[in-house]
Short mmCIF file of all heavy atoms in Angstrom, two decimals:
data_model
loop_
_atom_site.label_atom_id
_atom_site.label_comp_id
_atom_site.label_asym_id
_atom_site.label_seq_id
_atom_site.Cartn_x
_atom_site.Cartn_y
_atom_site.Cartn_z
N ALA A 1 1.03 22.32 -9.09
CA ALA A 1 0.55 21.49 -10.20
C ALA A 1 0.90 20.01 -9.98
O ALA A 1 0.06 19.11 -10.17
CB ALA A 1 1.15 21.95 -11.52
N THR A 2 2.14 19.74 -9.51
CA THR A 2 2.55 18.35 -9.24
C THR A 2 1.77 17.74 -8.10
O THR A 2 1.26 16.64 -8.18
CB THR A 2 4.06 18.29 -8.93
OG1 THR A 2 4.79 18.89 -10.01
CG2 THR A 2 4.51 16.86 -8.75
N LYS A 3 1.66 18.50 -7.03
CA LYS A 3 0.92 18.03 -5.83
C LYS A 3 -0.57 17.89 -6.17
O LYS A 3 -1.24 17.00 -5.60
CB LYS A 3 1.11 19.01 -4.68
CG LYS A 3 2.43 18.89 -3.98
CD LYS A 3 2.43 17.72 -2.98
CE LYS A 3 3.67 17.73 -2.13
NZ LYS A 3 3.69 16.63 -1.15
N GLU A 4 -1.08 18.73 -7.04
CA GLU A 4 -2.50 18.67 -7.40
C GLU A 4 -2.82 17.33 -8.06
O GLU A 4 -3.83 16.69 -7.73
CB GLU A 4 -2.82 19.85 -8.33
CG GLU A 4 -4.29 20.18 -8.43
CD GLU A 4 -4.53 21.44 -9.19
OE1 GLU A 4 -4.14 21.51 -10.38
OE2 GLU A 4 -5.09 22.42 -8.62
N GLN A 5 -1.97 16.92 -8.99
CA GLN A 5 -2.19 15.63 -9.65
C GLN A 5 -2.07 14.48 -8.67
O GLN A 5 -2.85 13.53 -8.67
CB GLN A 5 -1.19 15.45 -10.80
CG GLN A 5 -1.43 16.35 -11.99
CD GLN A 5 -2.70 15.98 -12.73
OE1 GLN A 5 -2.89 14.84 -13.11
NE2 GLN A 5 -3.57 16.96 -12.95
N ARG A 6 -1.08 14.57 -7.78
CA ARG A 6 -0.87 13.49 -6.82
C ARG A 6 -2.02 13.42 -5.82
O ARG A 6 -2.49 12.34 -5.48
CB ARG A 6 0.46 13.76 -6.07
CG ARG A 6 0.84 12.63 -5.11
CD ARG A 6 1.09 11.34 -5.89
NE ARG A 6 1.30 10.21 -5.02
CZ ARG A 6 2.50 9.81 -4.58
NH1 ARG A 6 3.59 10.48 -4.94
NH2 ARG A 6 2.62 8.77 -3.81
N SER A 7 -2.49 14.58 -5.35
CA SER A 7 -3.61 14.59 -4.43
C SER A 7 -4.87 14.02 -5.07
O SER A 7 -5.64 13.30 -4.43
CB SER A 7 -3.84 16.00 -3.89
OG SER A 7 -4.23 16.88 -4.93
N ALA A 8 -5.10 14.37 -6.34
CA ALA A 8 -6.27 13.85 -7.05
C ALA A 8 -6.19 12.34 -7.22
O ALA A 8 -7.18 11.62 -7.06
CB ALA A 8 -6.40 14.53 -8.40
N GLU A 9 -4.99 11.86 -7.50
CA GLU A 9 -4.82 10.41 -7.67
C GLU A 9 -5.11 9.67 -6.38
O GLU A 9 -5.82 8.66 -6.36
CB GLU A 9 -3.37 10.14 -8.12
CG GLU A 9 -3.02 8.68 -8.28
CD GLU A 9 -1.54 8.47 -8.53
OE1 GLU A 9 -1.07 8.87 -9.60
OE2 GLU A 9 -0.84 7.95 -7.62
N GLU A 10 -4.57 10.19 -5.27
CA GLU A 10 -4.80 9.53 -3.99
C GLU A 10 -6.25 9.62 -3.54
O GLU A 10 -6.79 8.66 -3.01
CB GLU A 10 -3.86 10.12 -2.93
CG GLU A 10 -2.42 9.84 -3.16
CD GLU A 10 -1.54 10.09 -1.95
OE1 GLU A 10 -2.11 10.33 -0.85
OE2 GLU A 10 -0.31 10.03 -2.09
N ALA A 11 -6.87 10.78 -3.76
CA ALA A 11 -8.28 10.92 -3.40
C ALA A 11 -9.14 9.95 -4.21
O ALA A 11 -10.09 9.34 -3.69
CB ALA A 11 -8.74 12.37 -3.62
N GLY A 12 -8.82 9.82 -5.51
CA GLY A 12 -9.56 8.88 -6.36
C GLY A 12 -9.38 7.43 -5.91
O GLY A 12 -10.33 6.65 -5.86
N LEU A 13 -8.14 7.08 -5.55
CA LEU A 13 -7.84 5.75 -5.06
C LEU A 13 -8.65 5.43 -3.80
O LEU A 13 -9.32 4.38 -3.71
CB LEU A 13 -6.35 5.62 -4.76
CG LEU A 13 -5.79 4.27 -4.30
CD1 LEU A 13 -4.30 4.18 -4.65
CD2 LEU A 13 -5.93 4.06 -2.78
N LEU A 14 -8.64 6.35 -2.84
CA LEU A 14 -9.35 6.11 -1.57
C LEU A 14 -10.86 6.10 -1.78
O LEU A 14 -11.58 5.36 -1.11
CB LEU A 14 -8.95 7.19 -0.55
CG LEU A 14 -7.49 7.13 -0.12
CD1 LEU A 14 -7.15 8.34 0.73
CD2 LEU A 14 -7.18 5.85 0.65
N ARG A 15 -11.36 6.89 -2.72
CA ARG A 15 -12.80 6.89 -2.97
C ARG A 15 -13.27 5.56 -3.58
O ARG A 15 -14.29 5.01 -3.21
CB ARG A 15 -13.18 8.04 -3.91
CG ARG A 15 -14.65 8.12 -4.20
CD ARG A 15 -14.97 9.31 -5.10
NE ARG A 15 -14.24 9.23 -6.37
CZ ARG A 15 -14.60 8.46 -7.39
NH1 ARG A 15 -15.64 7.68 -7.28
NH2 ARG A 15 -13.91 8.49 -8.49
N ILE A 16 -12.49 5.02 -4.50
CA ILE A 16 -12.84 3.71 -5.10
C ILE A 16 -12.81 2.63 -4.04
O ILE A 16 -13.69 1.78 -3.98
CB ILE A 16 -11.88 3.39 -6.26
CG1 ILE A 16 -12.03 4.42 -7.40
CG2 ILE A 16 -12.12 1.99 -6.78
CD1 ILE A 16 -10.98 4.30 -8.47
N VAL A 17 -11.79 2.66 -3.18
CA VAL A 17 -11.68 1.68 -2.11
C VAL A 17 -12.90 1.78 -1.19
O VAL A 17 -13.49 0.79 -0.77
CB VAL A 17 -10.39 1.88 -1.30
CG1 VAL A 17 -10.41 1.08 -0.01
CG2 VAL A 17 -9.17 1.50 -2.15
N ALA A 18 -13.29 3.03 -0.87
CA ALA A 18 -14.46 3.22 -0.01
C ALA A 18 -15.71 2.67 -0.65
O ALA A 18 -16.59 2.08 0.01
CB ALA A 18 -14.65 4.71 0.29
N GLY A 19 -15.84 2.81 -1.98
CA GLY A 19 -16.98 2.24 -2.67
C GLY A 19 -17.05 0.71 -2.52
O GLY A 19 -18.12 0.15 -2.35
N ALA A 20 -15.89 0.06 -2.59
CA ALA A 20 -15.84 -1.38 -2.39
C ALA A 20 -16.26 -1.75 -0.97
O ALA A 20 -17.04 -2.68 -0.77
CB ALA A 20 -14.43 -1.90 -2.69
N PHE A 21 -15.76 -1.00 -0.01
CA PHE A 21 -16.14 -1.26 1.39
C PHE A 21 -17.66 -1.06 1.57
O PHE A 21 -18.32 -1.79 2.29
CB PHE A 21 -15.41 -0.31 2.34
CG PHE A 21 -13.93 -0.57 2.45
CD1 PHE A 21 -13.08 0.32 3.08
CD2 PHE A 21 -13.36 -1.73 1.92
CE1 PHE A 21 -11.74 0.11 3.21
CE2 PHE A 21 -11.98 -1.95 2.01
CZ PHE A 21 -11.17 -1.04 2.66
N GLY A 22 -18.20 -0.02 0.90
CA GLY A 22 -19.61 0.27 1.05
C GLY A 22 -20.53 -0.84 0.59
O GLY A 22 -21.58 -1.09 1.20
N ILE A 23 -20.17 -1.52 -0.48
CA ILE A 23 -21.01 -2.63 -0.98
C ILE A 23 -21.16 -3.70 0.08
O ILE A 23 -22.27 -4.19 0.31
CB ILE A 23 -20.39 -3.22 -2.28
CG1 ILE A 23 -20.42 -2.16 -3.41
CG2 ILE A 23 -21.11 -4.49 -2.70
CD1 ILE A 23 -19.71 -2.60 -4.66
N THR A 24 -20.10 -4.08 0.73
CA THR A 24 -20.16 -5.13 1.75
C THR A 24 -20.77 -4.61 3.06
O THR A 24 -21.51 -5.34 3.71
CB THR A 24 -18.78 -5.72 2.02
OG1 THR A 24 -17.82 -4.66 2.12
CG2 THR A 24 -18.36 -6.64 0.90
N LEU A 25 -20.49 -3.39 3.42
CA LEU A 25 -21.04 -2.86 4.67
C LEU A 25 -22.56 -2.76 4.62
O LEU A 25 -23.26 -3.05 5.60
CB LEU A 25 -20.44 -1.52 5.00
CG LEU A 25 -18.98 -1.52 5.49
CD1 LEU A 25 -18.42 -0.11 5.60
CD2 LEU A 25 -18.89 -2.24 6.82
N GLN A 26 -23.10 -2.34 3.50
CA GLN A 26 -24.57 -2.28 3.38
C GLN A 26 -25.16 -3.71 3.42
O GLN A 26 -26.25 -3.91 3.95
CB GLN A 26 -24.98 -1.58 2.09
CG GLN A 26 -24.65 -0.08 2.05
CD GLN A 26 -25.56 0.73 2.94
OE1 GLN A 26 -26.28 0.23 3.78
NE2 GLN A 26 -25.51 2.06 2.76
N GLY A 27 -24.42 -4.67 2.86
CA GLY A 27 -24.87 -6.06 2.97
C GLY A 27 -24.88 -6.55 4.40
O GLY A 27 -25.76 -7.31 4.83
#
């Protein structure tokens, strides 16, 4: 349960960062 929350938090963080990278890479 503890690791599940932590893994979800990190996956969400990295996904948002990837979205930011994607905006500029497509440009």
Side-chain angles (χ1 to χ4, degrees):
T2 304
K3 283 280 189 179
E4 198 171 61
Q5 290 291 308
R6 185 63 187 269
S7 64
E9 178 188 292
E10 292 196 9
L13 183 155
L14 294 172
R15 182 179 57 79
I16 295 171
V17 168
F21 291 169
I23 294 174
T24 44
L25 286 173
Q26 292 287 13

